[in-house]
Amino acid sequence: MTGTPETTAVPERPAPPPFAALRGQLHDAAAEFAGGEDALEGILLGMVDDVDRAVAEPLEIFPVCHHSPASAVAMARRLREKQPKVVYLELCEDMAPLLTELRNCRLPVAVQAFASDIEGFPPDWAPLSVVAPITEASAEYQAVAYALDTPGVELVLVDRSSDHVFQWDTRHEQSGKPSAEAAEPPAEPSTEPEAALHGEAVGVEIGDLRPRFAELEQHLLRHGKVRHWSEWWHQYVEVPLGDSDHDTYRQVMFLIGSLFRRLAPGQGERVRVDEDRERYMWTRMREHLAATGTDPADCLYVCGAFHAASRVDEFGVHGTGDFTISPRTATTWQYGLIPSSHAAIEAQFGLAAGSVSIAATEWAKNLKRTRVKPYRLEGQAGTKKPRPAKTAVRAPLPAPAPEATEDRLSGFLQRPPALHTLDEAELLGWSVDIVRAARRNGYLASTADAIAVFETSILLAAMRDRAKPTPYDFQDAAVTCIEKDTVPGRRDVRRLVEIMMGGDRIGQVGYDALPPLARDVHDRLAPLELNLQQRGVRRALLDMASEPDLRSCSDVLWMLRRLLPPGAARPVMGERRLGERSIQESWDLSLGTHQRALIELGYEGVSLEQVLEQRLRRTAYGSQATAAQVLAAVEDATLYLGGRRLADELGTRALEVLAGERSVDGAPEVLRRVRGLLAYYRTAEPVLPPWIESFVRAGYAHYCTLLPTAFRDEDATVGQVAAMLGFLFGMESLALSLGCDRTQLELAVAQSHPGDQAKTALLWAAQVQLGTLSRGELRARCDELLANPLVVPSYPRYLSGFVHALEPVPGLADVVVEAVSNAFGRLPDAVLLPWLPTLITTLRSNAAELAPLLIREAGRIFPARLAALDAWVPPWRAQPEVRPLPSSGAARGATLLARYPETCDAVADLVGAGDAWAGVDDVLKAGVHLVAEFVGHLSFKDSPYEGS
């Protein structure tokens, strides 16, 4: 039986793995350098495994580095080729609603999450702030612009929320506060004010790509002949990847991320947080894919290269891990956009000064060289409008079928660096521009310096094995040739180069993207007709006499001065105090410069009045509030908000705080505030508010109780004790009319026994005021002090107490002048000259605010001309003129009463005397009887006028 012979099929040989050749080369290299198999081989081969795993993932991973022009160009190119339907972005998921507002801003800006009232975190952390800065030369902006302006494309933020940033940050356990995500401090800290635009916010950003192995970083910097990490990245990664294709770019970034991830010893806690972030992101992506049914081939995952080379179980759309996302705390987060700057980004993320500006310049050069069309949000502020297309836009071509992964790493690693030819025109332009900028900043630079900078740049590049000088080479050459030894101005040459290369571009949040409070402020200040969103100082002139409508603008400006930093709204002319309003004002306004502070103010409320009221309440009801602080809040509520509701509430709170105080530290401030409020209410209100009457009554009893202790307490200063006495004596009449007892003050003074000389003098002044010590006795005590040689060295301390006594007893000014004059007149030069510096420093440090009263009294007593000084006799030494008493038969002032008897008749009718009075003495007796009956301290029979 014949038939067709059976054919045996020869099986095809499977294709070798894509990175087999590279694995073999690395294995041989590890054996040669390490002398056998060890950890080096495991690290090198593990890096290739990480690259292979990331490349083979069905959901395309696009690794990036933050603010990398190469990443941004590669991202724009890939988005136009792939046209993905879903873009997963490594950014806090709760910041998604704010991204649409980027079109109303001028980049760079930062997306901010802010929380002032926190729950679930330690109270001393407040306020919490997280920022994510975005520049045009960043891959994340390209992805956002593509997703927002392309119909049918969904943008999904998959990174942990702002709440989880603080939940997972355990580094605060060492320092007491949450720390920023930047791993290293900046190599050259910026001194520019724009570096503080982010404040104390924690920064999150795509692609924190920097070696965490300090020895590795130092090794790379030393062998790369560079100064800092930003320069190394620019020279050895940024420039080579600028012209690479998509596959080469991805594989190189995967390799770098894997290298830095594997060489991160001693940071287990940080690596754990990074892995939790990766589990979080892959969990969110799988949830979205399951909910929408999207094909992973139509998606693009944009993340940092460090996270792209992940080894967690949850990695990939087919991950096996089961990660549970913890719930957020009860903290209420508010979101907005704040202005950012290159200096702020560099300061927050540990980059070298000027590196972001140089990256922006490199981004512009890359676009021009590669002719890649970047994505920009439609209507983006600060960018040119795109030209209208001449032809209709064609629908994107379907994505080609995925091809087998090719090994691009081997060729890239073996390829010698491209030798860029010297661009003499560019370098010459830099040299001329830096000389021009240096001359504007005070340097004696000339054309010869420009030639020297040009030649030195080429020389430095050759010494560092570079065919073309980099901006960093040019910067070093400019410092060497121009700056020399001194810096004549505020900016050095290194800073001038940074500005020249691209400048510290400062972003601006547009009006439509501002919170309601900030928009309300601009609307209410519109009558000033100033561009307040522009940076810099604007002068505002307000003439309320001719334009009464400007009073509302004045109210807004005074509230801004109270709420914003000092430079935001500074009054040049005009003031606002209790009971006083200026009719003309002049202001220096820089709201555009302090836009971040104004925006963060909008997180606290919808109007300035609401925010100010909340802050005043927070101050008054704080656990550390003092009576002086609460009284200051009362004054601010009266000045800026008007009305009595809030002021009365805070005044009642001040009474409660005062009753609980057990020290006299705030007595001077309490006295000053109460005096001002009393003067205002007595002139502006028909009656005193009930709270201030209660405050005076309680304060009188409170300070009487603390007075003996304060005199003995060494920690209580003489100024604080003087302020207590000033409150007691100054408010005495009001306190007595409200029912206080003067005996309490007399007993408090009698129980005071100070040990300090200044407080002793202060006690003598209080006794004079109470009448228990006469002025003659006080003068005699001062004479005894000067006559005692053992007491003379401490006499300045007594004088300090006397000067402070002018606060509660201003009538003793003549006695103080007499005491000082006697000291200068009686003490010999041998005693006076060593003693004089002590007197001057004592008076200057302890009683500077009371010196004007002493000087006025001295000017009244002493002669005005030098010629009259020789014949001048001090008043305290002059013999008093004795005048003869009038005869008993004289009327002694009764002529006026007899001429106008109506007054006497009215007093007689009031006391019930009718027409029975016969003379003036009867009327005087009746008046004294009436006063004594009213006061209740004397009866007519005990009066000293009895029988007169």
Side-chain angles (χ1 to χ4, degrees), residues 537 539 557 561 565-573 586-590:
V537 179
R539 176 63 60 87
L557 293 177
R561 179 177 179 267
R570 184 177 65 88
V572 179
M573 181 184 68
S586 176
W587 290 80
D588 279 346
L589 305 177
S590 56

Side-chain angles (χ1 to χ4, degrees), residues 344-372:
I345 297 172
E346 294 159 359
Q348 187 168 36
F349 295 96
L351 304 177
S355 59
V356 179
S357 297
I358 293 175
T361 304
E362 193 71 19
W363 157 256
K365 292 170 60 177
N366 288 349
L367 292 180
K368 186 176 181 181
R369 186 183 70 255
T370 61
R371 299 182 181 275
V372 173

Side-chain angles (χ1 to χ4, degrees), residues 795 799 803 815-825 835 839 843 854:
Y795 193 71
L799 289 182
V803 174
V815 177
V816 178
V817 172
E818 177 183 347
V820 176
S821 302
N822 287 336
F824 279 88
W835 174 72
L839 173 64
L843 295 180
L854 192 64

Side-chain angles (χ1 to χ4, degrees), residues 7 16 57 199 388 677 828 864 940:
T7 59
E57 172 60 32
L677 289 170
F940 181 73

Side-chain angles (χ1 to χ4, degrees), residues 834-883:
W835 174 72
L836 188 59
T838 305
L839 173 64
I840 295 176
T841 55
T842 301
L843 295 180
R844 177 179 295 178
S845 60
N846 297 334
E849 67 279 0
L850 298 173
L853 178 61
L854 192 64
I855 294 173
R856 284 198 303 269
E857 184 64 22
R860 185 185 66 84
I861 294 177
F862 287 97
R865 298 182 180 276
L866 183 62
L869 187 60
D870 294 336
W872 176 72
V873 178
W876 53 86
R877 293 184 182 177
Q879 296 294 332
E881 181 180 358
V882 180
R883 296 184 179 180

Side-chain angles (χ1 to χ4, degrees), residues 578 670-685 687-689 691-693 695-696 727 730-735 738:
L578 288 174
V670 169
L671 175 61
R672 187 177 69 85
R673 298 286 182 183
V674 170
R675 280 179 175 173
L677 289 170
L678 273 175
Y680 168 74
Y681 286 129
R682 281 170 171 166
T683 56
E685 301 289 343
V687 294
L688 292 178
W691 74 265
I692 200 168
E693 293 182 350
F695 189 90
V696 171
F727 186 96
M731 310 293 169
E732 184 178 16
S733 59
L734 178 59
L738 295 174

Side-chain angles (χ1 to χ4, degrees), residues 77-287:
R77 184 190 295 116
R78 184 56 180 167
L79 288 173
R80 295 195 181 276
E81 293 175 355
K82 183 179 177 64
Q83 295 287 313
K85 298 180 181 179
V86 178
V87 177
Y88 296 113
L89 186 61
E90 179 194 339
L91 199 63
C92 294
E93 59 182 1
D94 52 339
M95 292 182 177
L98 264 296
L99 297 181
T100 57
E101 298 294 339
L102 288 175
R103 68 179 74 253
N104 298 319
C105 306
R106 185 174 66 244
L107 301 180
V109 296
V111 185
Q112 183 183 36
F114 188 89
S116 55
D117 298 329
I118 61 176
E119 295 184 22
F121 300 107
D124 57 340
W125 286 16
L128 303 179
S129 180
V130 179
V131 297
I134 297 177
T135 63
E136 187 176 356
S138 58
E140 59 263 41
Y141 175 74
Q142 295 299 309
V144 169
Y146 163 78
L148 294 183
D149 283 349
T150 305
V153 177
E154 184 179 4
L155 177 65
V156 182
L157 305 187
V158 294
D159 198 4
R160 54 183 176 166
S161 66
S162 304
D163 198 272
H164 287 90
V165 170
F166 291 95
Q167 284 189 37
W168 294 0
D169 191 349
T170 58
R171 284 167 287 175
H172 60 273
E173 296 177 357
Q174 301 176 359
S175 60
K177 292 183 179 180
S179 56
E181 297 219 349
E184 301 290 341
E188 297 177 3
S190 175
T191 58
E192 296 294 320
E194 289 79 8
L197 283 179
H198 295 171
E200 299 298 329
V202 172
V204 293
E205 199 168 21
I206 295 181
D208 181 14
L209 199 57
R210 183 169 183 164
R212 299 180 184 177
F213 190 17
E215 288 78 2
L216 172 62
E217 181 173 346
Q218 294 301 322
H219 176 83
L220 294 176
L221 298 184
R222 183 174 64 255
H223 288 273
K225 299 179 181 180
V226 295
R227 293 167 299 163
H228 44 71
W229 175 251
S230 299
E231 185 177 358
W232 186 93
W233 180 268
H234 171 84
Q235 178 66 24
Y236 294 100
V237 179
E238 195 70 39
V239 174
L241 286 181
D243 299 325
S244 61
D245 59 277
H246 173 63
D247 292 335
T248 303
Y249 169 83
R250 290 183 68 207
Q251 294 177 20
V252 171
M253 293 295 286
F254 286 145
L255 183 69
I256 296 175
S258 176
L259 172 65
F260 293 164
R261 188 185 190 95
R262 290 179 177 274
L263 296 181
Q267 299 190 21
E269 186 59 33
R270 183 173 180 184
V271 171
R272 185 192 64 79
V273 173
D274 289 330
E275 291 179 348
D276 284 346
R277 291 181 62 187
E278 293 153 8
R279 296 186 179 98
Y280 193 107
M281 290 187 285
W282 281 110
T283 300
R284 289 302 193 201
M285 284 186 283
R286 286 200 300 270
E287 290 176 354

